[in-house]
Amino acid sequence: MPPTTKVFILDDDPAVTGLLKAKLGKVDGFEVRATNLPRQAASLIAQFQPHIVICDIDMGDFDGGMVARQLKDQPETANIPVLFLTSLVSANQVRQSEGVIGGRQMISKDATVPDLLQRIRTMLG
């Protein structure tokens, strides 16, 4: 992992982004930014150039899949890994599926911070 790991969090719920930003922001070597505006996320991510994006999968009419496609379509963000965040499955279900649900890297919103950190480290190698 890089000396400073840049993490971008996207969720349409400010409580979720606020909580994750506060928790991950306390981790040594992490720089965290967040937004609750999925339609603006791709340009914010391009500016910040994070090492990983943690993105809610279900955000109404502009979901996480749409954001991921926008990132893949831009050369400056195409290689940034996306870890989808979901409340639709439990942390246990995600562990049982080894973190891949529907072919996408996912983590449950009820996962512990150590679980989240492990997933980030695994995805970044």
Side-chain angles (χ1 to χ4, degrees), residues 83 90-101 104-107 119 122-123:
L83 175 59
S90 70
N92 190 42
Q93 289 170 311
V94 171
R95 274 192 294 279
Q96 289 174 352
S97 70
E98 298 181 355
V100 178
I101 296 175
R104 296 177 172 173
Q105 292 287 331
M106 289 214 193
I107 193 156
R119 290 300 302 285
T122 298
M123 287 180 70

Side-chain angles (χ1 to χ4, degrees), residues 2 8 35 47 67 75 86 89-90 99-100 105-106 110 119 124:
F8 192 94
T35 189
Q47 290 171 25
V67 173
T86 183
V89 294
S90 70
V100 178
Q105 292 287 331
M106 289 214 193
D110 66 356
R119 290 300 302 285
L124 296 181

Side-chain angles (χ1 to χ4, degrees), residues 3 12-13 23 55 72 79 88-89 102 115 122:
D12 57 342
D13 183 346
K23 289 185 179 223
C55 180
K72 288 292 180 202
N79 294 318
L88 301 175
V89 294
D115 283 347
T122 298

Side-chain angles (χ1 to χ4, degrees), residues 2 6 9 36 41 55 63 66 86-88 113 124:
K6 294 167 62 174
I9 303 166
N36 305 110
C55 180
D63 65 31
M66 293 173 170
T86 183
S87 60
L88 301 175
V113 172
L124 296 181

